[in-house]
Amino acid sequence: MAHKQFMKKKPVPQNSLKDNEPLKKMTPKKSSKKPQLLRGMKDILPQEQPYWEYVQESAQQASRAYGYQRIEVPVLEEYQLFARTVGESSDIVSKEMYDFETPGGDHVALRPEFTAGICRAFIEHGMKNIPQPVKLWTDGPLFRYDRPQAGRYRQLHQVDWEIIGSHQPAIDAELISLGSHLLGDLGLEVMARVNSIGCRECRPAYIAVLKEYFKTHKKNLCEDCKNRLLKNPLRVLDCKEEACQAIAAEAPQIVDHLCEACREHFMKVLEYLDEGDVVYHLHPRLVRGLDYYSHTVFEFYLQKDQEEASPAALLGGGRYDYLIQDLGGPGETPAVGMAMGIERVILAIKEAGVPVAQPPTPDVFLAQIGETARKRALQLFEDLRQAEIAVAANISKNGLSDQLSLANKSQAKITLILGQKEMIDNTIIARDMENGSQETILQTKLIDFLKKQLKK
Ligand code: AMP
């Protein structure tokens, strides 16, 4: 069941709220405390933006190059969508969902991941009827009520890719290759861990073997794993507790229990990967924390972290051949997807000292002295912008020395000075910021003059 903290239980009859009825507001308690950022949330301040732009623009370019189309799905969905796909027993649904009841009686949740919403959209918009596979990508915020720590937030951001409508193992390899190349292009040395968790035919038999094995070690497992043993024994394999890891290291491996079709699929994926330059390792204990996966699963880590017992993944994904059908969509719609954590990637980029482009500096700074000049400057700024001249100004300032020091800081090549006298003469002063020389130019000739000067 969902996290109690978020369930606002109210005795509201189903669909009692008419479409045009306003939402009832909670009466705020009076408090003199300053409002504070919620735990696990993060403001992304202007100085952080170059990193975000770098990652988001690189992701967009790679997505286009690999033939993905952008999709956007709502932040809020039916709670059941996630319960049915990610799984009631998964940590994400059982402990980490921000879910609540609307005044209309609907049980809704802030999305904790993208795949479920994208698959709902795939079904609702009849995308099975367009040429398959359908390759979709998106990015945005997700919400998980997780324990906050370095690189783990309650509002996190991911870039997500889904390929829906193909069972071809080459598609799994293409997706893994995109992950590897994008992270490499971002300046990170990464390697993938790859595994197969089989299908609905062969996994139950493996789980039975695994259960037997873990039962013999039950007293040494952590409390969470004792629970997992009942609900989802596969998850014991990737428990972060040292004692559980030692037990899991000796556990029977799923690769030895795959059916013929799963083994063949997995072998093909590995063959395709071997043809490329993706650095990967087989990792028999990789299972991933969401219930909908089948066949291939993978995660990417920094190469420098690979010796760590539980390195933080930058990106994770896998196949989910049953999800669309389980949601009531058309049968036989196999799919594969992955998501990259933007915060974690930015952390890694900073640690690795990857140089990131800063916002461009203006070529021209426009300074004004006096009220009439300020009025003219507003229009002149717009004229320069339309002429595609990179111009900056601070129209709130009056004094020239203040504006010259701003111009210096902005690294503009030329500062334009518009004062009382220039307003009368219809001229403007252009000051070369490198050598301090000044010229007076007719305002009507200004754009031509600047274009020539800036070409030099
Ligand atoms: P998942 O959707 O759990 O497979 O996660 C995919 C990627 O998202 C991970 O590899 C991380 O990079 C990132 N991620 C997952 N959970 C968090 C979180 N709570 N805070 C920040 N990043 C996260």
Side-chain angles (χ1 to χ4, degrees):
M1 200 47 210
H3 204 281
K4 294 283 176 295
Q5 201 157 344
F6 298 113
M7 287 293 294
K8 261 199 293 147
K9 279 279 171 221
K10 276 201 270 165
V12 191
Q14 194 77 14
N15 297 327
S16 65
L17 197 75
K18 301 221 176 65
D19 277 355
N20 56 358
E21 204 173 314
L23 288 180
K24 284 198 195 84
K25 291 265 161 53
M26 283 176 74
T27 323
K29 283 196 196 114
K30 282 227 167 97
S31 162
S32 55
K33 226 177 89 198
K34 263 191 277 168
Q36 280 184 341
L37 184 71
L38 289 172
R39 208 163 109 77
M41 304 281 163
K42 186 173 183 266
D43 295 317
I44 307 166
L45 298 175
Q47 59 269 29
E48 285 284 301
Q49 295 299 333
Y51 290 96
W52 285 77
E53 278 171 25
Y54 175 60
V55 174
Q56 286 166 324
E57 280 170 17
S58 306
Q60 181 180 53
Q61 277 168 19
S63 306
R64 284 191 180 148
Y66 277 77
Y68 288 80
Q69 289 183 298
R70 187 168 172 89
I71 185 168
E72 275 174 44
V73 289
V75 170
L76 204 61
E77 297 269 6
E78 279 179 28
Y79 168 84
Q80 273 306 321
L81 174 66
F82 303 112
R84 281 171 65 178
T85 55
V86 178
E88 294 267 13
S89 71
S90 67
D91 284 355
I92 290 182
V93 171
S94 66
K95 301 185 195 160
E96 299 171 7
M97 286 261 272
Y98 281 85
D99 66 312
F100 57 95
E101 202 168 281
T102 66
D106 297 321
H107 188 180
V108 297
L110 292 178
R111 62 187 181 194
E113 59 102 52
F114 280 116
T115 305
I118 292 179
C119 288
R120 177 202 47 71
F122 179 93
I123 298 167
E124 280 198 69
H125 298 281
M127 291 191 220
K128 181 80 177 177
N129 301 320
I130 57 179
Q132 308 285 297
V134 178
K135 295 169 86 174
L136 301 168
W137 83 282
T138 192
D139 66 354
L142 307 167
F143 300 85
R144 295 181 187 175
Y145 194 76
D146 206 348
R147 195 156 17 104
Q149 50 183 266
R152 190 184 296 163
Y153 297 99
R154 288 180 174 170
Q155 177 174 332
L156 59 132
H157 295 77
Q158 289 183 346
V159 185
D160 180 271
W161 297 266
E162 311 289 346
I163 309 180
I164 306 176
S166 170
H167 59 77
Q168 279 291 341
I171 290 287
D172 310 29
E174 186 198 277
L175 192 66
I176 295 171
S177 172
L178 162 60
S180 170
H181 290 120
L182 173 59
L183 289 166
D185 289 350
L186 285 167
L188 300 174
E189 284 186 4
V190 296
M191 56 110 205
R193 286 181 180 173
V194 185
N195 193 22
S196 170
I197 54 168
C199 65
R200 283 182 177 167
E201 302 300 318
C202 58
R203 205 182 316 155
Y206 170 66
I207 288 177
V209 173
L210 198 61
K211 253 184 170 167
E212 279 311 305
Y213 169 79
F214 282 134
K215 266 189 201 158
T216 59
H217 297 276
K218 194 171 169 188
K219 64 178 189 314
N220 296 322
L221 292 175
C222 72
E223 284 312 305
D224 271 353
C225 278
K226 282 181 186 145
N227 242 329
R228 288 180 185 130
L229 202 48
L230 296 172
K231 290 184 182 158
N232 192 350
L234 275 183
R235 292 309 313 275
V236 179
L237 288 173
D238 70 353
C239 176
K240 309 272 183 265
E241 294 293 325
E242 224 171 277
C244 302
Q245 285 192 350
I247 297 167
E250 303 298 320
Q253 300 190 352
I254 191 158
V255 279
D256 299 325
H257 295 261
L258 293 177
C259 62
E260 205 41 48
C262 283
R263 189 194 313 276
E264 202 176 304
H265 183 97
F266 193 41
M267 287 305 149
K268 279 269 176 221
V269 174
L270 300 183
E271 269 173 40
Y272 291 124
L273 289 180
D274 287 335
E275 284 301 305
D277 52 3
V278 176
V279 183
Y280 76 89
H281 295 284
L282 292 182
H283 194 79
R285 291 192 304 283
L286 180 68
V287 289
R288 311 265 301 125
L290 301 89
D291 281 3
Y292 52 62
Y293 286 118
S294 59
H295 304 89
T296 321
V297 287
F298 56 92
E299 283 185 348
F300 277 88
Y301 309 88
L302 289 174
Q303 279 188 20
K304 73 171 180 60
D305 292 345
Q306 64 172 309
E307 299 302 329
E308 281 181 27
S310 315
L314 299 172
L315 183 156
R319 209 162 239 294
Y320 53 93
D321 285 354
Y322 310 110
L323 195 156
I324 299 231
Q325 198 168 359
D326 288 352
L327 282 179
E332 281 284 301
T333 311
V336 58
M338 67 178 183
M340 177 177 90
I342 301 184
E343 285 86 354
R344 296 236 181 119
V345 166
I346 289 178
L347 220 59
I349 285 171
K350 285 183 179 171
E351 265 176 34
V354 176
V356 165
Q358 294 301 312
T361 52
D363 287 328
V364 174
F365 190 94
L366 174 59
Q368 85 289 327
I369 312 157
E371 194 49 29
T372 41
R374 175 181 282 146
K375 283 184 192 146
R376 174 78 188 106
L378 278 170
Q379 183 53 45
L380 200 54
F381 182 93
E382 186 51 28
D383 294 345
L384 296 179
R385 193 188 69 81
Q386 290 204 11
E388 293 178 2
I389 291 169
V391 56
N394 187 333
I395 211 80
S396 71
K397 299 280 179 211
N398 290 319
L400 183 61
S401 64
D402 249 12
Q403 294 182 71
L404 283 179
S405 89
L406 285 175
N408 252 327
K409 266 196 212 136
S410 78
Q411 298 176 28
K413 299 181 188 81
I414 297 169
T415 297
L416 301 173
I417 303 165
L418 192 61
Q420 306 274 6
K421 181 171 180 311
E422 290 74 33
M423 281 303 293
I424 295 165
D425 300 347
N426 275 327
T427 57
I428 194 160
I429 297 170
R431 181 187 175 99
D432 185 318
M433 296 301 281
E434 226 163 70
N435 59 24
S437 67
Q438 294 195 171
E439 263 181 79
T440 300
I441 296 131
L442 270 176
Q443 286 180 24
T444 48
K445 300 264 160 60
L446 178 62
I447 288 175
D448 284 347
F449 169 83
L450 289 174
K451 287 201 163 158
K452 261 187 224 142
Q453 293 295 309
L454 293 171
K455 247 194 215 152
K456 279 184 193 166

